Amino acid sequence: MPRRLRTYLVEDNKTIRENLIATLEDLADVETVGHASTETAAASWLQDNTADWDLAIVDIFLQEGSGLGVLEKLRKRKPAQHLVVLSNYATPNMRDRCTQLGANRVFDKSQDIDALIDYCMECSSTIR
């Protein structure tokens, strides 16, 4: 049986986090392996558990630190590990900055959820 896309979520808003987990697990063949609401906790878990995740979804604004710091710390990840940003602040400049820091894609929370789901399904098809 194929395994699901092991996904770690970096999001400090509990309601958004819970809704996103439910949506992705229902629609995108995703298994949520953990979450964090701070840069320190997210970077620590993702760096210490490199064999346990395929995709990290990172918000820019966090309780402590920022998603940019998470991206910076994960620049040297495995090639098969995907790192995307999901933010309400997906301006052209922020998209460029995230890409420079190694993000595979940047999605806007208010208008790109369907695109994020499609991206997750694409990623999960490569791990089967």
Side-chain angles (χ1 to χ4, degrees):
M1 181 172 166
R3 71 175 171 82
R4 301 178 84 183
L5 185 68
R6 299 168 304 171
T7 302
Y8 191 87
L9 187 58
V10 185
E11 169 62 61
D12 64 345
N13 182 303
K14 183 180 179 189
T15 303
I16 291 172
R17 183 175 60 237
E18 289 174 351
N19 288 335
L20 189 58
I21 289 170
T23 299
L24 293 177
E25 288 185 350
D26 285 348
L27 301 177
D29 206 21
V30 161
E31 171 193 1
T32 304
V33 295
H35 61 81
S37 57
T38 68
E39 175 185 330
T40 301
S44 176
W45 192 93
L46 291 162
Q47 290 173 319
D48 291 346
N49 297 280
T50 57
D52 299 327
W53 63 277
D54 306 304
L55 171 67
I57 301 172
V58 181
D59 189 13
I60 297 295
F61 298 107
L62 303 171
Q63 277 180 356
E64 169 269 318
S66 80
L68 297 175
V70 176
L71 296 177
E72 182 77 42
K73 290 176 177 109
L74 294 174
R75 289 183 96 150
K76 294 179 182 174
R77 62 187 184 275
K78 296 176 185 175
Q81 289 177 313
H82 299 264
L83 186 58
V84 301
V85 171
L86 179 65
S87 177
N88 283 323
Y89 194 67
T91 64
N93 286 342
M94 184 58 71
R95 287 176 187 270
D96 289 345
R97 181 76 178 122
C98 292
T99 303
Q100 290 168 0
L101 289 172
N104 296 96
R105 294 276 300 273
V106 179
F107 299 97
D108 187 304
K109 283 182 186 176
S110 63
Q111 51 191 347
D112 292 337
I113 297 299
D114 288 341
L116 174 63
I117 291 168
D118 290 344
Y119 184 84
C120 290
M121 292 189 321
E122 284 176 33
C123 291
S124 67
S125 70
T126 66
I127 62 166
R128 295 181 183 270

